[in-house]
mmCIF file of all heavy atoms in Angstrom:
data_model
loop_
_atom_site.group_PDB
_atom_site.id
_atom_site.type_symbol
_atom_site.label_atom_id
_atom_site.label_comp_id
_atom_site.label_asym_id
_atom_site.label_seq_id
_atom_site.Cartn_x
_atom_site.Cartn_y
_atom_site.Cartn_z
ATOM 1 N N GLY A 365 -14.187 -9.888 -17.028
ATOM 2 C CA GLY A 365 -13.453 -8.667 -17.357
ATOM 3 C C GLY A 365 -13.211 -7.748 -16.170
ATOM 4 O O GLY A 365 -13.839 -7.857 -15.118
ATOM 5 N N ILE A 366 -12.267 -6.825 -16.370
ATOM 6 C CA ILE A 366 -11.914 -5.814 -15.366
ATOM 7 C C ILE A 366 -12.793 -4.590 -15.568
ATOM 8 O O ILE A 366 -12.792 -3.993 -16.654
ATOM 9 C CB ILE A 366 -10.429 -5.405 -15.506
ATOM 10 C CG1 ILE A 366 -9.500 -6.607 -15.345
ATOM 11 C CG2 ILE A 366 -10.071 -4.306 -14.506
ATOM 12 C CD1 ILE A 366 -8.072 -6.346 -15.820
ATOM 13 N N ALA A 367 -13.538 -4.187 -14.532
ATOM 14 C CA ALA A 367 -14.366 -2.981 -14.594
ATOM 15 C C ALA A 367 -13.711 -1.812 -13.890
ATOM 16 O O ALA A 367 -13.953 -0.650 -14.224
ATOM 17 C CB ALA A 367 -15.740 -3.261 -13.980
ATOM 18 N N ASN A 368 -12.873 -2.117 -12.904
ATOM 19 C CA ASN A 368 -12.285 -1.085 -12.057
ATOM 20 C C ASN A 368 -10.851 -1.521 -11.735
ATOM 21 O O ASN A 368 -10.643 -2.478 -10.988
ATOM 22 C CB ASN A 368 -13.125 -0.949 -10.774
ATOM 23 C CG ASN A 368 -12.621 0.145 -9.853
ATOM 24 O OD1 ASN A 368 -11.447 0.502 -9.866
ATOM 25 N ND2 ASN A 368 -13.522 0.674 -9.040
ATOM 26 N N PHE A 369 -9.863 -0.840 -12.301
ATOM 27 C CA PHE A 369 -8.473 -1.265 -12.125
ATOM 28 C C PHE A 369 -8.046 -1.205 -10.651
ATOM 29 O O PHE A 369 -7.215 -1.997 -10.218
ATOM 30 C CB PHE A 369 -7.538 -0.402 -12.976
ATOM 31 C CG PHE A 369 -7.415 -0.885 -14.392
ATOM 32 C CD1 PHE A 369 -7.952 -0.149 -15.435
ATOM 33 C CD2 PHE A 369 -6.787 -2.087 -14.684
ATOM 34 C CE1 PHE A 369 -7.849 -0.604 -16.749
ATOM 35 C CE2 PHE A 369 -6.678 -2.544 -15.983
ATOM 36 C CZ PHE A 369 -7.213 -1.796 -17.022
ATOM 37 N N VAL A 370 -8.612 -0.288 -9.883
ATOM 38 C CA VAL A 370 -8.205 -0.156 -8.483
ATOM 39 C C VAL A 370 -8.686 -1.368 -7.683
ATOM 40 O O VAL A 370 -7.901 -2.025 -6.979
ATOM 41 C CB VAL A 370 -8.723 1.160 -7.883
ATOM 42 C CG1 VAL A 370 -8.473 1.197 -6.368
ATOM 43 C CG2 VAL A 370 -8.038 2.348 -8.561
ATOM 44 N N THR A 371 -9.983 -1.702 -7.783
ATOM 45 C CA THR A 371 -10.479 -2.858 -7.018
ATOM 46 C C THR A 371 -9.891 -4.159 -7.562
ATOM 47 O O THR A 371 -9.648 -5.098 -6.797
ATOM 48 C CB THR A 371 -12.014 -2.928 -7.044
ATOM 49 O OG1 THR A 371 -12.470 -2.902 -8.412
ATOM 50 C CG2 THR A 371 -12.626 -1.753 -6.302
ATOM 51 N N PHE A 372 -9.638 -4.216 -8.873
ATOM 52 C CA PHE A 372 -8.993 -5.403 -9.443
ATOM 53 C C PHE A 372 -7.622 -5.625 -8.825
ATOM 54 O O PHE A 372 -7.297 -6.715 -8.353
ATOM 55 C CB PHE A 372 -8.886 -5.240 -10.969
ATOM 56 C CG PHE A 372 -7.801 -6.066 -11.616
ATOM 57 C CD1 PHE A 372 -7.873 -7.446 -11.632
ATOM 58 C CD2 PHE A 372 -6.704 -5.461 -12.193
ATOM 59 C CE1 PHE A 372 -6.876 -8.206 -12.232
ATOM 60 C CE2 PHE A 372 -5.700 -6.204 -12.792
ATOM 61 C CZ PHE A 372 -5.788 -7.580 -12.798
ATOM 62 N N LEU A 373 -6.782 -4.579 -8.797
ATOM 63 C CA LEU A 373 -5.430 -4.736 -8.253
ATOM 64 C C LEU A 373 -5.457 -4.985 -6.744
ATOM 65 O O LEU A 373 -4.614 -5.701 -6.210
ATOM 66 C CB LEU A 373 -4.589 -3.498 -8.570
ATOM 67 C CG LEU A 373 -4.172 -3.355 -10.041
ATOM 68 C CD1 LEU A 373 -3.563 -1.981 -10.300
ATOM 69 C CD2 LEU A 373 -3.192 -4.453 -10.453
ATOM 70 N N GLU A 374 -6.435 -4.411 -6.065
ATOM 71 C CA GLU A 374 -6.536 -4.631 -4.607
ATOM 72 C C GLU A 374 -6.915 -6.081 -4.289
ATOM 73 O O GLU A 374 -6.492 -6.622 -3.265
ATOM 74 C CB GLU A 374 -7.588 -3.679 -4.012
ATOM 75 C CG GLU A 374 -7.114 -2.241 -3.902
ATOM 76 C CD GLU A 374 -8.214 -1.282 -3.446
ATOM 77 O OE1 GLU A 374 -9.412 -1.640 -3.542
ATOM 78 O OE2 GLU A 374 -7.869 -0.170 -3.010
ATOM 79 N N ASN A 375 -7.688 -6.711 -5.163
ATOM 80 C CA ASN A 375 -8.293 -7.997 -4.822
ATOM 81 C C ASN A 375 -7.762 -9.186 -5.613
ATOM 82 O O ASN A 375 -8.143 -10.322 -5.338
ATOM 83 C CB ASN A 375 -9.813 -7.922 -5.009
ATOM 84 C CG ASN A 375 -10.459 -6.908 -4.079
ATOM 85 O OD1 ASN A 375 -10.132 -6.869 -2.896
ATOM 86 N ND2 ASN A 375 -11.334 -6.077 -4.599
ATOM 87 N N THR A 376 -6.885 -8.965 -6.598
ATOM 88 C CA THR A 376 -6.345 -10.093 -7.354
ATOM 89 C C THR A 376 -5.429 -10.928 -6.450
ATOM 90 O O THR A 376 -5.029 -10.480 -5.370
ATOM 91 C CB THR A 376 -5.581 -9.607 -8.615
ATOM 92 O OG1 THR A 376 -5.339 -10.733 -9.465
ATOM 93 C CG2 THR A 376 -4.255 -8.955 -8.263
ATOM 94 N N GLY A 377 -5.101 -12.158 -6.887
ATOM 95 C CA GLY A 377 -4.240 -13.029 -6.077
ATOM 96 C C GLY A 377 -2.947 -12.327 -5.693
ATOM 97 O O GLY A 377 -2.326 -11.647 -6.518
ATOM 98 N N ASP A 378 -2.517 -12.513 -4.433
ATOM 99 C CA ASP A 378 -1.311 -11.821 -3.935
ATOM 100 C C ASP A 378 -0.111 -12.063 -4.828
ATOM 101 O O ASP A 378 0.739 -11.190 -5.015
ATOM 102 C CB ASP A 378 -0.966 -12.309 -2.519
ATOM 103 C CG ASP A 378 -1.986 -11.841 -1.494
ATOM 104 O OD1 ASP A 378 -2.800 -10.972 -1.840
ATOM 105 O OD2 ASP A 378 -1.963 -12.356 -0.364
ATOM 106 N N TRP A 379 -0.022 -13.277 -5.393
ATOM 107 C CA TRP A 379 1.144 -13.653 -6.189
ATOM 108 C C TRP A 379 1.174 -12.925 -7.542
ATOM 109 O O TRP A 379 2.178 -12.927 -8.228
ATOM 110 C CB TRP A 379 1.173 -15.161 -6.404
ATOM 111 C CG TRP A 379 -0.038 -15.692 -7.132
ATOM 112 C CD1 TRP A 379 -0.214 -15.803 -8.490
ATOM 113 C CD2 TRP A 379 -1.251 -16.168 -6.550
ATOM 114 N NE1 TRP A 379 -1.458 -16.314 -8.783
ATOM 115 C CE2 TRP A 379 -2.114 -16.552 -7.606
ATOM 116 C CE3 TRP A 379 -1.702 -16.322 -5.220
ATOM 117 C CZ2 TRP A 379 -3.391 -17.070 -7.385
ATOM 118 C CZ3 TRP A 379 -2.959 -16.837 -5.014
ATOM 119 C CH2 TRP A 379 -3.790 -17.200 -6.076
ATOM 120 N N ARG A 380 0.039 -12.302 -7.941
ATOM 121 C CA ARG A 380 -0.051 -11.685 -9.263
ATOM 122 C C ARG A 380 0.102 -10.163 -9.244
ATOM 123 O O ARG A 380 0.349 -9.554 -10.279
ATOM 124 C CB ARG A 380 -1.409 -11.997 -9.910
ATOM 125 C CG ARG A 380 -1.715 -13.450 -10.073
ATOM 126 C CD ARG A 380 -3.032 -13.654 -10.811
ATOM 127 N NE ARG A 380 -2.874 -13.360 -12.228
ATOM 128 C CZ ARG A 380 -3.439 -12.334 -12.856
ATOM 129 N NH1 ARG A 380 -4.163 -11.472 -12.192
ATOM 130 N NH2 ARG A 380 -3.248 -12.158 -14.142
ATOM 131 N N ARG A 381 -0.093 -9.548 -8.058
ATOM 132 C CA ARG A 381 -0.275 -8.088 -8.034
ATOM 133 C C ARG A 381 0.916 -7.340 -8.622
ATOM 134 O O ARG A 381 0.760 -6.446 -9.460
ATOM 135 C CB ARG A 381 -0.554 -7.619 -6.597
ATOM 136 C CG ARG A 381 -0.934 -6.137 -6.501
ATOM 137 C CD ARG A 381 -1.443 -5.778 -5.128
ATOM 138 N NE ARG A 381 -2.621 -6.577 -4.787
ATOM 139 C CZ ARG A 381 -2.646 -7.529 -3.867
ATOM 140 N NH1 ARG A 381 -1.550 -7.829 -3.195
ATOM 141 N NH2 ARG A 381 -3.744 -8.209 -3.620
ATOM 142 N N GLU A 382 2.123 -7.730 -8.217
ATOM 143 C CA GLU A 382 3.309 -7.002 -8.677
ATOM 144 C C GLU A 382 3.484 -7.134 -10.198
ATOM 145 O O GLU A 382 3.811 -6.167 -10.890
ATOM 146 C CB GLU A 382 4.546 -7.551 -7.951
ATOM 147 C CG GLU A 382 5.771 -6.671 -8.100
ATOM 148 C CD GLU A 382 6.943 -7.192 -7.262
ATOM 149 O OE1 GLU A 382 6.708 -7.680 -6.142
ATOM 150 O OE2 GLU A 382 8.065 -7.100 -7.752
ATOM 151 N N LEU A 383 3.230 -8.337 -10.716
ATOM 152 C CA LEU A 383 3.338 -8.545 -12.163
ATOM 153 C C LEU A 383 2.334 -7.681 -12.920
ATOM 154 O O LEU A 383 2.638 -7.123 -13.973
ATOM 155 C CB LEU A 383 3.073 -10.015 -12.506
ATOM 156 C CG LEU A 383 4.188 -11.032 -12.285
ATOM 157 C CD1 LEU A 383 3.682 -12.422 -12.603
ATOM 158 C CD2 LEU A 383 5.395 -10.708 -13.146
ATOM 159 N N ARG A 384 1.123 -7.572 -12.382
ATOM 160 C CA ARG A 384 0.078 -6.807 -13.070
ATOM 161 C C ARG A 384 0.330 -5.305 -12.972
ATOM 162 O O ARG A 384 0.035 -4.548 -13.903
ATOM 163 C CB ARG A 384 -1.307 -7.156 -12.498
ATOM 164 C CG ARG A 384 -1.724 -8.593 -12.740
ATOM 165 C CD ARG A 384 -1.953 -8.906 -14.228
ATOM 166 N NE ARG A 384 -0.723 -9.091 -14.965
ATOM 167 C CZ ARG A 384 -0.570 -8.943 -16.274
ATOM 168 N NH1 ARG A 384 -1.581 -8.583 -17.022
ATOM 169 N NH2 ARG A 384 0.580 -9.139 -16.864
ATOM 170 N N GLU A 385 0.862 -4.854 -11.835
ATOM 171 C CA GLU A 385 1.156 -3.421 -11.691
ATOM 172 C C GLU A 385 2.239 -2.981 -12.674
ATOM 173 O O GLU A 385 2.252 -1.831 -13.117
ATOM 174 C CB GLU A 385 1.568 -3.100 -10.250
ATOM 175 C CG GLU A 385 0.396 -3.154 -9.280
ATOM 176 C CD GLU A 385 0.736 -2.604 -7.899
ATOM 177 O OE1 GLU A 385 1.925 -2.672 -7.505
ATOM 178 O OE2 GLU A 385 -0.176 -2.092 -7.232
ATOM 179 N N ALA A 386 3.144 -3.902 -13.024
ATOM 180 C CA ALA A 386 4.184 -3.579 -14.010
ATOM 181 C C ALA A 386 3.567 -3.216 -15.349
ATOM 182 O O ALA A 386 4.126 -2.419 -16.111
ATOM 183 C CB ALA A 386 5.138 -4.759 -14.167
ATOM 184 N N GLU A 387 2.396 -3.768 -15.646
ATOM 185 C CA GLU A 387 1.723 -3.508 -16.922
ATOM 186 C C GLU A 387 0.761 -2.323 -16.835
ATOM 187 O O GLU A 387 0.749 -1.447 -17.692
ATOM 188 C CB GLU A 387 0.961 -4.769 -17.347
ATOM 189 C CG GLU A 387 -0.033 -4.586 -18.478
ATOM 190 C CD GLU A 387 0.617 -4.287 -19.821
ATOM 191 O OE1 GLU A 387 1.738 -4.759 -20.062
ATOM 192 O OE2 GLU A 387 0.000 -3.571 -20.632
ATOM 193 N N TYR A 388 -0.068 -2.302 -15.781
ATOM 194 C CA TYR A 388 -1.180 -1.353 -15.739
ATOM 195 C C TYR A 388 -0.848 -0.043 -15.031
ATOM 196 O O TYR A 388 -1.503 0.973 -15.258
ATOM 197 C CB TYR A 388 -2.390 -1.990 -15.039
ATOM 198 C CG TYR A 388 -2.924 -3.204 -15.747
ATOM 199 C CD1 TYR A 388 -3.141 -4.398 -15.076
ATOM 200 C CD2 TYR A 388 -3.217 -3.152 -17.107
ATOM 201 C CE1 TYR A 388 -3.644 -5.520 -15.736
ATOM 202 C CE2 TYR A 388 -3.716 -4.272 -17.770
ATOM 203 C CZ TYR A 388 -3.924 -5.448 -17.077
ATOM 204 O OH TYR A 388 -4.411 -6.549 -17.731
ATOM 205 N N GLY A 389 0.166 -0.077 -14.157
ATOM 206 C CA GLY A 389 0.422 1.051 -13.273
ATOM 207 C C GLY A 389 0.162 0.613 -11.843
ATOM 208 O O GLY A 389 -0.575 -0.350 -11.594
ATOM 209 N N SER A 390 0.779 1.301 -10.887
ATOM 210 C CA SER A 390 0.689 0.844 -9.492
ATOM 211 C C SER A 390 -0.357 1.636 -8.713
ATOM 212 O O SER A 390 -0.640 2.801 -9.002
ATOM 213 C CB SER A 390 2.051 0.980 -8.811
ATOM 214 O OG SER A 390 2.345 2.329 -8.562
ATOM 215 N N LEU A 391 -0.885 0.969 -7.684
ATOM 216 C CA LEU A 391 -1.852 1.640 -6.807
ATOM 217 C C LEU A 391 -1.200 2.821 -6.093
ATOM 218 O O LEU A 391 -1.846 3.839 -5.843
ATOM 219 C CB LEU A 391 -2.400 0.632 -5.787
ATOM 220 C CG LEU A 391 -3.309 -0.457 -6.371
ATOM 221 C CD1 LEU A 391 -3.595 -1.528 -5.322
ATOM 222 C CD2 LEU A 391 -4.618 0.143 -6.879
ATOM 223 N N ALA A 392 0.086 2.680 -5.793
ATOM 224 C CA ALA A 392 0.780 3.749 -5.069
ATOM 225 C C ALA A 392 0.996 4.988 -5.934
ATOM 226 O O ALA A 392 0.797 6.124 -5.482
ATOM 227 C CB ALA A 392 2.122 3.232 -4.553
ATOM 228 N N ASP A 393 1.384 4.777 -7.201
ATOM 229 C CA ASP A 393 1.799 5.913 -8.036
ATOM 230 C C ASP A 393 0.774 6.355 -9.062
ATOM 231 O O ASP A 393 0.805 7.501 -9.514
ATOM 232 C CB ASP A 393 3.100 5.555 -8.788
ATOM 233 C CG ASP A 393 4.235 5.231 -7.843
ATOM 234 O OD1 ASP A 393 4.225 5.755 -6.706
ATOM 235 O OD2 ASP A 393 5.118 4.439 -8.226
ATOM 236 N N ASP A 394 -0.133 5.442 -9.457
ATOM 237 C CA ASP A 394 -0.984 5.733 -10.616
ATOM 238 C C ASP A 394 -2.470 5.623 -10.305
ATOM 239 O O ASP A 394 -3.289 5.506 -11.218
ATOM 240 C CB ASP A 394 -0.640 4.766 -11.760
ATOM 241 C CG ASP A 394 0.843 4.794 -12.119
ATOM 242 O OD1 ASP A 394 1.295 5.836 -12.616
ATOM 243 O OD2 ASP A 394 1.530 3.783 -11.885
ATOM 244 N N ARG A 395 -2.829 5.673 -9.020
ATOM 245 C CA ARG A 395 -4.223 5.424 -8.635
ATOM 246 C C ARG A 395 -5.195 6.368 -9.356
ATOM 247 O O ARG A 395 -6.233 5.927 -9.872
ATOM 248 C CB ARG A 395 -4.386 5.548 -7.124
ATOM 249 C CG ARG A 395 -5.819 5.278 -6.640
ATOM 250 C CD ARG A 395 -5.928 5.409 -5.135
ATOM 251 N NE ARG A 395 -5.309 4.295 -4.436
ATOM 252 C CZ ARG A 395 -5.994 3.256 -3.940
ATOM 253 N NH1 ARG A 395 -7.310 3.188 -4.082
ATOM 254 N NH2 ARG A 395 -5.374 2.294 -3.309
ATOM 255 N N GLU A 396 -4.842 7.634 -9.443
ATOM 256 C CA GLU A 396 -5.757 8.612 -10.046
ATOM 257 C C GLU A 396 -6.011 8.265 -11.525
ATOM 258 O O GLU A 396 -7.145 8.303 -12.002
ATOM 259 C CB GLU A 396 -5.172 10.022 -9.918
ATOM 260 C CG GLU A 396 -6.146 11.122 -10.291
ATOM 261 C CD GLU A 396 -5.544 12.510 -10.087
ATOM 262 O OE1 GLU A 396 -4.724 12.691 -9.143
ATOM 263 O OE2 GLU A 396 -5.882 13.399 -10.881
ATOM 264 N N PHE A 397 -4.937 7.917 -12.231
ATOM 265 C CA PHE A 397 -5.079 7.556 -13.638
ATOM 266 C C PHE A 397 -5.896 6.274 -13.787
ATOM 267 O O PHE A 397 -6.761 6.165 -14.664
ATOM 268 C CB PHE A 397 -3.697 7.375 -14.283
ATOM 269 C CG PHE A 397 -3.744 6.849 -15.682
ATOM 270 C CD1 PHE A 397 -4.188 7.644 -16.724
ATOM 271 C CD2 PHE A 397 -3.353 5.548 -15.964
ATOM 272 C CE1 PHE A 397 -4.259 7.150 -18.022
ATOM 273 C CE2 PHE A 397 -3.411 5.042 -17.246
ATOM 274 C CZ PHE A 397 -3.870 5.849 -18.280
ATOM 275 N N LEU A 398 -5.632 5.285 -12.920
ATOM 276 C CA LEU A 398 -6.366 4.032 -12.980
ATOM 277 C C LEU A 398 -7.861 4.252 -12.733
ATOM 278 O O LEU A 398 -8.712 3.615 -13.371
ATOM 279 C CB LEU A 398 -5.788 3.032 -11.969
ATOM 280 C CG LEU A 398 -4.365 2.534 -12.263
ATOM 281 C CD1 LEU A 398 -3.806 1.768 -11.065
ATOM 282 C CD2 LEU A 398 -4.346 1.648 -13.512
#
């Protein structure tokens, strides 16, 4: 499971990050909320 959305998005496979940010929010725009 995901415990920390920021470290998850930073460390997930490079090919997945953009797809996942579309769902959860982006590190650039939504870090505080995440």
Side-chain angles (χ1 to χ4, degrees):
I366 301 165
N368 182 334
F369 275 111
V370 172
T371 54
F372 157 66
L373 288 170
E374 285 174 342
N375 297 315
T376 193
D378 291 348
W379 60 88
R380 302 184 74 248
R381 187 169 301 110
E382 193 175 322
L383 281 176
R384 295 293 77 203
E385 288 190 332
E387 167 68 31
Y388 298 129
S390 73
L391 291 170
D393 300 332
D394 305 294
R395 181 180 287 261
E396 190 177 327
F397 173 72
L398 293 169

